Amino acid sequence: MKWDLGKYFLLASASMFSAGLWAFPANPTPFSVDNAGDSLTLRNGGDEHYRYTQTEDGYLVISDSTGVYYFADENGAASSVKAKNADLRNSSDKAFLRKLDKSKVRKAHQKRHPDRLVRPARKGKSSKPDWVPSTESAPPLLRLPSAESHVTGTNRFPVLLVAAPSASNADSTKYWNQLNQTGYTENNHLGSVRDYFTAQSNGLFVPVFDIYLVSVSQSLSSYKNSEHALIEEAITSLKANYPQFDPSLYDADGDGNIDATPVLYAGTESAASNLGGYQYELQWDGGKISAGNGKKFNSYFIISQMSNSTKLLPIATFVHEFSHTMGLKDHYCVAASDCYSDFTNNTYQAPGAHAWDVMSTGMYNNGGGKPVGYSAFEKAFMGWMSYTTLSSSDEISVLGALNSTQFAYKVPVSGNQDEWYVIENRQKDSWDASLPNHGLLIWHIDYDENAWYKDILNDVAGHQRVDVVEAGNLKVTEYYDGFNSTHLVDDAFPGSQNVTSFTAFNSWAGTNLGVNLYNILEENGKVCFATKSGVSVGSCTVVSSSSSVSSSSEQSSSSEAVSSSSVALTQSQYAYIVNLPKDSLYAKKSVDLHEALEFLGVTGTANSLYESGELLYYAVESDGSLNANSTAMAPGHWFDASGNVCNWDADGSVARIFSELDLASGTANIGQFPQKVDIGEIYTIRQALVYGEKRVDLTFVVVIAAEGSLEQTVPEDSSLSIANSRAQSGISTLALRDNVLEVNTSLSGRKNLAVYDLTGKILYRESFDGFAKNVSLTNLQAKGVVVVRLSQNGRILSLKRMAVH
């Protein structure tokens, strides 16, 4: 398709978990107004469920029809006392305020302004969404719903910039840059929206946002409480302005719905009378809207384009709302009557995850241009990393920074698959640079279906369901304290109060989980601790548990093997078919190694682990010995026709195939020596990765095919038989009927399903907990022969080639 770049820009990819409605906390930045001759400093609070404005010292104010602000009385209505800053109040003003009960004022005001965005009730007797099992003989490993399927890959999303008769769209090029440009730094941003999600997913999710300029006929404020009408009119404008609009570009999961549609209206939120500001589904308010070609608009969110008359709204609000379209909920107090109350004399602190979490007030860190990074819980929910279970041992546990290692510990609650603790190391760099403090952070997660559905995870102060377990005793006393680092500096361990132990891993039912942390130490950006009280922790220096294995940078001989005399390695094998078209250049194909890396426990970027010598990379010679010398672009190897390591030679008399590891993307790049391979030839090369006490062997069956070919005969005794030879005990079958993949297995627990083309490119990936799964393969990006792999915990259960039509 040819795109008209004069009309819109190709930008860089989201659907919804279920019908829903989520908002974002109001921006707390103080602003000044001329209040009938007096300068008055105010702050907005609440979210789309309930909004309010108050003075800096916490008195609610209400404006009249002329825009003059008055203090609210205990009936929640405007009093006759004009609002003033503390230094301008006279004795009469002070006397009025002394008599006010702020709690009564707040509750009365909230009662006068009920939630206009009530989530629709469920229908039917069951009231359970599809992901809750009903007939399976065993419960799934975790009943928390999965993220939306569009959270991995380079997926695209349409962004509608909506103008109105009295409000013109912002500069579309500038907005394109803020959404997509790599290294975007305007207005104190760390990066673009695309940069943010690429960093949080470690490259697993790289969204592209395509801008479309549309218009509506009425003033934007007239669409408040009738947002469906705005969306419908904007879509009508889209179809008229862009007759070649292709909705299939925006349905990554092939479910018939455009994954998510950000709607950004011209001007500021205040100018549009606080229009929008939440994420929703059209089907709950008027029905889905046709996008053409059998696709429909459904999931969307509405926010403003500008924060003031000259400045684009920072990316924080977009990031927060877009995270909702991927399946996350709010982690601040949303709808409870005391969400914004004074907690100074309360047993608990004001509820919410506050500045630690982008799904809470952490979205506004650094003014919204550098929203805080995802927590380990959020990354694991998206499928971008996996936890490592922590248990008591004599060893010292070391945690690198989450944003560079993608590593975190989990402390499960025995007998309760819906509750667990997460231990992560957060450091003040990159997207986390504006965190309140740094160190070890402990989260207590408690999934509840009803709370999740209603988006009230942290509404009960005494039972937070996505909760930061504070190391110290400082309290967040009210909503705005969540933006003030002085109230949060003690949250991390050791933190501002030097708390070096934690022995309260208790379930909400009161069961102690049998894991304790002692001698917590933070050193050079790492955190280490012991899980037994008698173990001394003097340093966070990482010592590889496979100490008998030399680092690849230290080895000098060409074929040293891993010694097994002192370390028993847990091994696994992965086999890949690489269809490599014959080419006159050094053509390469990328093979996704994430499942192998996940088996090793390497869930984040591997660069630092490789450079430190913790992650080791070898070629496996034909006799089984290991060779650590890189002979291709390091780390990587050239192989001869027999699958042995060789050097590149100018005339190509020996070298045939190379494999180079791309640590940033978690892929192996397989290529050929030009003009020295021929169509129909098959080469088998092997490499290995070692990390800690685990080793994976990677077998690549490289088939030289005609240029552009997607299919090539692969012998049954090649990699498929290698992989199938290690299938688990138990029955697991894959079948394809009318392009519907039927998966059946007798094994409980989380399984991984992946579909690859013959080049090793992943076409589809999903994790599931049940015993059966049906997946339509009709909308795969490639047709013809594909490879389907069902695996669990790094072991292949079934692997088959199938023909997709």
Side-chain angles (χ1 to χ4, degrees):
M1 170 175 290
K2 183 178 179 180
W3 293 84
D4 182 357
L5 297 181
K7 283 190 173 182
Y8 48 88
F9 297 83
L10 300 183
L11 314 180
S13 186
S15 159
M16 269 197 55
F17 150 66
S18 68
L21 173 66
W22 299 280
F24 61 88
N27 191 330
T29 305
F31 62 95
S32 295
V33 298
D34 181 348
N35 199 40
D38 296 325
S39 178
L40 176 64
T41 302
L42 301 172
R43 279 175 147 176
N44 288 321
D47 63 5
E48 281 309 301
H49 297 276
Y50 168 61
R51 286 287 182 96
Y52 63 88
T53 303
Q54 68 180 34
T55 61
E56 284 197 294
D57 54 348
Y59 290 99
L60 280 183
V61 297
I62 299 172
S63 63
D64 65 11
S65 59
T66 66
V68 177
Y69 286 92
Y70 294 86
F71 290 114
D73 60 23
E74 290 187 357
N75 294 316
S79 70
S80 60
V81 180
K82 192 179 77 170
K84 299 175 185 176
N85 289 339
D87 59 341
L88 296 179
R89 295 168 191 161
N90 57 35
S91 58
S92 177
D93 300 332
K94 294 176 182 178
F96 170 78
L97 295 177
R98 278 196 300 268
K99 295 178 181 180
L100 285 181
D101 183 326
K102 285 185 179 180
S103 178
K104 287 184 178 180
V105 173
R106 178 87 62 192
K107 290 180 179 179
H109 183 265
Q110 192 166 3
K111 189 174 182 179
R112 283 176 172 264
H113 299 82
D115 185 359
R116 69 182 181 86
L117 304 174
V118 179
R119 186 164 186 174
R122 294 183 178 180
K123 298 178 179 180
K125 295 181 180 180
S126 171
S127 79
K128 289 186 176 182
D130 294 339
W131 47 264
V132 176
S134 57
T135 59
E136 295 177 350
S137 59
L141 183 63
L142 183 65
R143 292 191 294 119
L144 182 72
S146 299
E148 293 301 317
S149 57
H150 58 261
V151 303
T152 58
T154 305
N155 299 328
R156 294 168 60 176
F157 304 87
V159 178
L160 307 188
L161 298 190
V162 182
S166 59
S168 300
N169 278 320
D171 186 304
S172 56
T173 300
K174 291 182 178 179
Y175 223 104
W176 186 95
N177 291 340
Q178 185 165 296
L179 294 175
N180 297 280
Q181 185 181 75
T182 300
Y184 179 77
T185 58
E186 295 295 319
N187 296 320
N188 204 29
H189 278 74
L190 177 62
S192 63
V193 173
R194 182 180 186 179
D195 287 338
Y196 178 87
F197 285 110
T198 301
Q200 301 317 305
S201 67
N202 197 36
L204 293 178
F205 177 53
V206 184
V208 179
F209 299 101
D210 296 348
I211 286 181
Y212 297 89
L213 303 177
V214 301
S215 61
V216 292
S217 60
Q218 305 297 320
S219 67
L220 292 167
S221 59
S222 67
Y223 294 98
K224 187 174 181 178
N225 298 326
S226 60
E227 284 80 4
H228 188 280
L230 182 145
I231 299 297
E232 185 172 6
E233 194 171 344
I235 292 172
T236 299
S237 176
L238 169 70
K239 293 177 181 178
N241 293 349
Y242 305 94
Q244 292 186 321
F245 174 75
D246 184 359
S248 66
L249 296 173
Y250 308 112
D251 181 14
D253 56 11
D255 67 351
N257 294 325
I258 290 178
D259 296 326
T261 305
V263 177
L264 282 53
Y265 59 80
T268 64
E269 183 180 330
S270 59
S273 299
N274 296 325
L275 171 68
Y278 59 90
Q279 190 271 327
Y280 202 57
E281 280 193 344
L282 290 166
Q283 67 187 36
W284 294 100
D285 185 15
K288 299 178 183 180
I289 300 175
S290 173
N293 296 332
K295 306 293 184 182
K296 294 183 177 180
F297 287 98
N298 191 22
S299 173
Y300 72 93
F301 63 86
I302 301 177
I303 60 175
S304 67
Q305 297 174 20
M306 310 295 291
S307 62
N308 58 45
S309 60
T310 60
K311 182 181 176 182
L312 296 180
L313 187 72
I315 67 170
T317 307
F318 192 105
V319 165
H320 179 100
E321 293 294 352
F322 194 81
S323 297
H324 280 315
T325 73
M326 298 193 292
L328 287 177
K329 302 305 175 94
D330 288 309
H331 296 162
Y332 61 94
C333 188
V334 173
S337 60
D338 59 358
C339 282
Y340 309 104
S341 298
D342 187 343
F343 277 74
T344 303
N345 299 316
N346 197 294
T347 303
Y348 306 101
Q349 69 171 12
H354 307 299
W356 297 103
D357 196 335
V358 74
M359 302 314 293
S360 187
T361 54
M363 62 183 286
Y364 293 116
N365 287 2
N366 198 49
K370 191 186 295 182
V372 66
Y374 272 21
S375 68
F377 165 69
E378 289 159 339
K379 292 185 178 188
F381 173 81
M382 292 297 176
W384 299 337
M385 62 164 282
S386 299
Y387 303 119
T388 295
T389 300
L390 179 68
S391 57
S392 295
S393 72
D394 293 326
E395 297 181 355
I396 296 172
S397 299
V398 180
L399 274 172
L402 175 66
N403 60 12
S404 59
T405 65
Q406 311 292 325
F407 183 89
Y409 285 114
K410 174 183 179 180
V411 180
V413 175
S414 179
N416 185 351
Q417 298 161 343
D418 294 335
E419 183 183 353
W420 67 98
Y421 284 84
V422 179
I423 304 172
E424 63 186 24
N425 173 12
R426 302 294 286 274
Q427 295 296 312
K428 298 181 70 171
D429 58 7
S430 187
W431 293 96
D432 281 351
S434 298
L435 281 174
N437 205 345
H438 51 85
L440 183 145
L441 213 60
I442 298 175
W443 297 75
H444 190 179
I445 309 299
D446 184 29
Y447 169 69
D448 175 80
E449 179 186 351
N450 188 57
W452 185 276
Y453 180 82
K454 292 183 177 179
D455 189 34
I456 52 173
L457 303 186
N458 283 347
D459 275 29
V460 179
H463 193 147
Q464 302 282 278
R465 296 187 178 277
V466 180
D467 184 34
V468 176
V469 180
E470 298 80 18
N473 57 14
L474 297 179
K475 287 176 59 177
V476 175
T477 59
E478 57 102 31
Y479 173 77
Y480 289 113
D481 286 352
F483 302 94
N484 190 335
S485 63
T486 60
H487 296 270
L488 302 166
V489 293
D490 68 320
D491 286 358
F493 294 79
S496 62
Q497 298 182 11
N498 195 32
V499 180
T500 60
S501 64
F502 183 73
T503 59
F505 283 110
N506 300 315
S507 70
W508 283 107
T511 302
N512 186 273
L513 308 186
V515 174
N516 299 310
L517 307 185
Y518 301 100
N519 300 322
I520 300 171
L521 174 67
E522 184 178 14
E523 179 184 66
N524 298 325
K526 296 179 180 178
V527 175
C528 52
F529 55 85
T531 52
K532 289 190 176 180
S533 59
V535 178
S536 175
V537 180
S539 173
C540 290
T541 301
V542 178
V543 178
S544 175
S545 59
S546 55
S547 56
S548 63
V549 181
S550 301
S551 147
S552 60
S553 62
E554 297 171 340
Q555 287 187 313
S556 57
S557 68
S558 61
S559 59
E560 288 188 68
V562 175
S563 168
S564 59
S565 59
S566 61
V567 178
L569 297 178
T570 302
Q571 292 186 235
S572 187
Q573 299 181 51
Y574 290 85
Y576 307 89
I577 301 170
V578 182
N579 186 62
L580 190 62
K582 182 177 179 179
D583 191 85
S584 59
L585 301 174
Y586 289 87
K588 294 186 292 187
K589 290 290 184 181
S590 294
V591 178
D592 186 342
L593 301 181
H594 280 95
E595 192 171 351
L597 291 169
E598 288 170 3
F599 170 79
L600 290 174
V602 180
T603 54
T605 178
N607 286 300
S608 58
L609 295 177
Y610 178 76
E611 291 171 358
S612 68
E614 298 169 69
L615 177 65
L616 307 177
Y617 183 52
Y618 301 91
V620 182
E621 304 277 11
S622 60
D623 62 1
S625 62
L626 300 186
N627 188 334
N629 289 340
S630 286
T631 59
M633 186 176 294
H637 307 90
W638 273 101
F639 295 86
D640 63 18
S642 299
N644 289 312
V645 174
C646 65
N647 292 310
W648 176 85
D649 51 315
D651 59 359
S653 59
V654 177
R656 290 292 180 270
I657 302 294
F658 66 84
S659 174
E660 297 167 342
L661 182 62
D662 185 339
L663 294 164
S665 64
T667 59
N669 293 318
I670 312 296
Q672 63 191 281
F673 198 111
Q675 304 303 327
K676 294 299 179 180
V677 297
D678 208 351
I679 296 173
E681 292 179 346
I682 298 176
Y683 299 87
T684 299
I685 62 175
R686 294 185 294 161
Q687 291 171 300
L689 292 166
V690 178
Y691 179 60
E693 297 180 3
K694 291 184 178 181
R695 166 179 163 178
V696 292
D697 284 7
L698 311 170
T699 299
F700 303 100
V701 178
V702 183
V703 182
I704 308 301
E707 187 171 359
S709 173
L710 288 176
E711 300 184 27
Q712 182 69 29
T713 301
V714 179
E716 288 294 341
D717 60 354
S718 63
S719 65
L720 294 182
S721 61
I722 295 171
N724 280 321
S725 66
R726 60 190 180 88
Q728 281 186 325
S729 59
I731 299 173
S732 298
T733 62
L734 299 171
L736 188 66
R737 296 181 177 85
D738 296 326
N739 271 6
V740 175
L741 176 63
E742 299 176 356
V743 184
N744 290 280
T745 176
S746 62
L747 298 170
S748 62
R750 179 64 59 93
K751 272 81 63 178
N752 296 304
L753 179 67
V755 181
Y756 300 85
D757 67 14
L758 294 183
T759 70
K761 176 184 177 182
I762 191 163
L763 303 175
Y764 176 88
R765 180 163 56 195
E766 181 182 10
S767 297
F768 67 100
D769 294 308
F771 297 98
K773 186 75 177 178
N774 288 345
V775 178
S776 173
L777 300 184
T778 301
N779 294 310
L780 286 182
Q781 292 180 346
K783 305 300 181 183
V785 176
V786 300
V787 177
V788 181
R789 182 169 66 190
L790 179 67
S791 61
Q792 184 178 53
N793 298 325
R795 291 174 292 181
I796 290 180
L797 308 178
S798 185
L799 183 68
K800 283 190 175 183
R801 292 194 310 273
M802 295 179 167
V804 178
H805 306 291

